[in-house]
Amino acid sequence: MKRLTVLFTAIFFVMLLLPVSWELAHSVRNGESFAPLDIFRDIKTPFVRESVLMREADSLYAGSEQVIALAKRGDSILAEKVLELDAVAGNLKRSLMEVNAYTPLDSTDSAVVSVSEFQKVLAAFESEPALADSLLRHSSLIRETYAAFSIERVAKVWWHHGILSGKYLRAYEGRLEKENSFVKKTRPVYQTFAWKVLKDPGEKAVRADSNFLFYRQDVDFLVKPAPWTVDSLDNPIDAVLDFKTELEKRGVDLLVVVVPGKPSIYPEFLNPVMYGLFGRKDFSLGLRFVDTLQTLGVNTVNLYPVLQNAKMNDRTGDLLYLNTDTHWTPRGARIAATAIANQVKKMKVSMELPKLILTDSVVTAVRTGDVATMANLEYAFPDQTVEAHQVKIAETGALLRSDFRKSKILILGDSYSRIYETDSPMSAGWISQFAEEMQTPVASIVSDGGSSTLVREKLARRSGVLKNKKLVIWEFVERDLRFGAEGWKKVRLD
C-alpha cells in the first residue's frame, strides 16, 4: 500500500512539474525568455519605461523645432522630416501603451490621446504652417510631462495595469495556460481525440446536427442576457448616438447595419425547437437593438427579416451562411447589399452620388471555414466552393476598389465587409455588390473583429477622409454588441 502511495505521489508531481519543465527546456533550447518569470521582469518595466519616455519626449520636441525651422525656410526635405517626426510620435505612443508584457495602456488614456493630438496637428502642419505654435505647444507639454522620473507614474502603472492589478494577474495566468509549449504540443492530439471519439469540436465551436459548425461566441450571444444597462460605461446605444452626433457636426449622415450571426438565422440547426422563436424580440437581442435605434431616430437597415425571408429559398449547398465559417455566403452578402442599397435610395444622399458604371461576372472562391480553423478541425471538414459576383468598372474592366477621393459614401465594417472583398475572389463582397446596385464609387475602412470601437478609432486617425462624404454606413455583426474588441467607447473625430 505504501509503495502504491509513493507511486501515485511520484506520478502526481511529475504531471505537475512536466509543463513547467518542458517550457523551461523549450526556452533554453530556443533562446527565448522563460514566460513564468515575466512577472518579475514586469516589476522593473515601469522604471525602464520612464527613461525611454524621457528620451523620446526630448526627441519629439527637438524634431518639432526642426520641422518648424524647415517650414520657415521652405526647405524641400520638410515632408521627409514630418514623416520621421510622426514615426517618433508613434514610438512614443507605443512606449506609453507598453507598460508591461500583458496589459497595455488603453488607446483612450489621456497620455496616449495627447500624442495622438500632436500627430493630428503634425499631419495638418505641412499644408498649414500657421499651426507651428500649436505644434510646438503640444510637443512642449509632452516634454514637460516626461522631463523627470515620476515615482507617481510608476505606482499608477503597478496599481492599475501591473502586478498589483487583478487584470494583469488574469492575463498572466491566461497566457501561461494557453502559450505553454507543452500545451501547444499536446493540444492538437487531445482535440483530435475529442473530435473523433467524442465529436466535441472544442471550446470555440458548437457542432450542429447538420454538421454545421457555429462559432461559440455567436451562440453565447443568443443565450445570455443583454451586456449593458442604462448606466453601463460600454453601452453600444450610447456609442452609436454619440457617433451619429460626431458625424452630424461634419454634415454626414449615419446608417447602421447590424449583421445577424449564423445562429440567429439558422437556430433550428442548433435545436429544432428554436425555429419558431425567430423574429421575437425576446429571442433576439440584436433585433431589439435595431428596434431601439429606430425609435431613437437612427437610420438602420434591419437584415433580420430580410435574411429570414431569403432563407425560404435555400437549396442544398446554397445557404446564406458558410457551413463551417462564421460568415455569410456570397448569396447572403448580395441579398444584404441589395437591402442596404434599397434603404440608401430612400435617403436624400442618393440624389448627390456620383455615377460609375459597374458590371459583374460570376467567379468561384474556395473557403476554409474559420470556425473549423479555430478548432483545429480543418482536416475533418472539406473546403467549401462558392460562386460570387465579382464587380468591375465597365469602362476599364478593372476590379472595383475603394475610392476615397470620388466617393460620397464611406463604409466602416468588420470581417463581414472584408470577406470576398479584399480576400479571394476580390471585389465580390457586400461592399462591391452595394456599389454595383447604386452604380457609384464607395470607400471603406475595415477592422476584423473591431467594428465596435477599433474601426472608429481608425477613422479618427484618418478623419480627413470624411471630407466631401455625405453618408457613413457602419456595419458590425451582432455578437460585437457583447464581445466587440475594446468594447463600445465614445470616439472623438476632431
Side-chain angles (χ1 to χ4, degrees), residues 84-312:
E84 290 178 4
L85 183 56
D86 185 65
V88 172
N91 290 336
L92 175 59
K93 190 186 293 185
R94 280 190 291 274
S95 298
L96 282 167
M97 296 178 70
E98 292 172 0
V99 293
N100 55 56
Y102 293 91
T103 53
L105 205 64
D106 195 277
S107 60
T108 60
D109 185 272
S110 59
V112 181
V113 169
S114 67
V115 181
S116 297
E117 289 174 349
F118 169 84
Q119 288 180 299
K120 287 181 180 179
V121 175
L122 178 63
F125 170 72
E126 190 176 354
S127 58
E128 298 181 50
L131 291 173
D133 288 343
S134 178
L135 186 70
L136 197 61
R137 183 170 62 254
H138 276 82
S139 61
S140 179
L141 286 172
I142 292 171
R143 185 180 67 163
E144 289 173 10
T145 301
Y146 305 106
F149 179 90
S150 171
I151 192 65
E152 181 182 357
R153 258 195 312 269
V154 171
K156 284 183 177 179
V157 165
W158 278 349
W159 185 258
H160 295 292
H161 304 279
I163 58 172
L164 299 179
S165 72
K167 183 170 64 174
Y168 175 89
L169 295 175
R170 285 191 296 272
Y172 173 75
E173 181 183 17
R175 186 180 296 183
L176 289 184
E177 178 183 338
K178 293 179 181 178
E179 300 299 322
N180 183 277
S181 58
F182 177 77
V183 173
K184 286 182 176 180
K185 196 79 173 178
T186 56
R187 184 185 292 131
V189 177
Y190 170 76
Q191 287 176 323
T192 300
F193 167 80
W195 172 251
K196 290 188 174 181
V197 178
L198 307 174
K199 294 301 178 184
D200 177 6
E203 62 180 13
K204 293 186 177 179
V206 176
R207 177 175 175 264
D209 291 341
S210 61
N211 271 336
F212 249 37
L213 282 182
F214 290 92
Y215 186 34
R216 188 170 294 277
Q217 281 192 357
D218 280 334
V219 177
D220 286 346
F221 176 79
L222 283 184
V223 299
K224 292 182 178 179
W228 68 85
T229 63
V230 173
D231 299 323
S232 297
L233 292 176
D234 267 9
N235 188 325
I237 293 174
D238 284 348
V240 171
L241 293 176
D242 182 75
F243 188 48
K244 179 174 180 285
T245 301
E246 285 289 301
L247 292 174
E248 286 174 345
K249 292 177 185 176
R250 296 168 174 261
V252 181
D253 288 334
L254 173 65
L255 178 64
V256 174
V257 179
V258 180
V259 177
K262 184 159 68 173
S264 286
I265 302 301
Y266 293 102
E268 68 275 14
F269 284 7
L270 289 167
N271 187 336
V273 175
M274 299 174 72
Y275 183 81
L277 297 179
F278 184 86
R280 287 171 44 177
K281 292 175 186 175
D282 59 346
F283 170 71
S284 173
L285 173 60
L287 194 55
R288 294 205 305 275
F289 179 79
V290 171
D291 184 66
T292 301
L293 290 183
Q294 289 174 340
T295 61
L296 292 171
V298 179
N299 295 316
T300 63
V301 177
N302 189 348
L303 291 180
Y304 289 83
V306 171
L307 295 177
Q308 181 67 13
N309 292 334
K311 186 175 76 168
M312 302 305 171

Side-chain angles (χ1 to χ4, degrees), residues 436-455:
E436 184 184 22
E437 186 73 28
M438 299 297 299
Q439 291 292 296
T440 190
V442 295
S444 63
I445 299 175
V446 173
S447 178
D448 274 21
S451 198
S452 58
T453 292
L454 295 178
V455 77

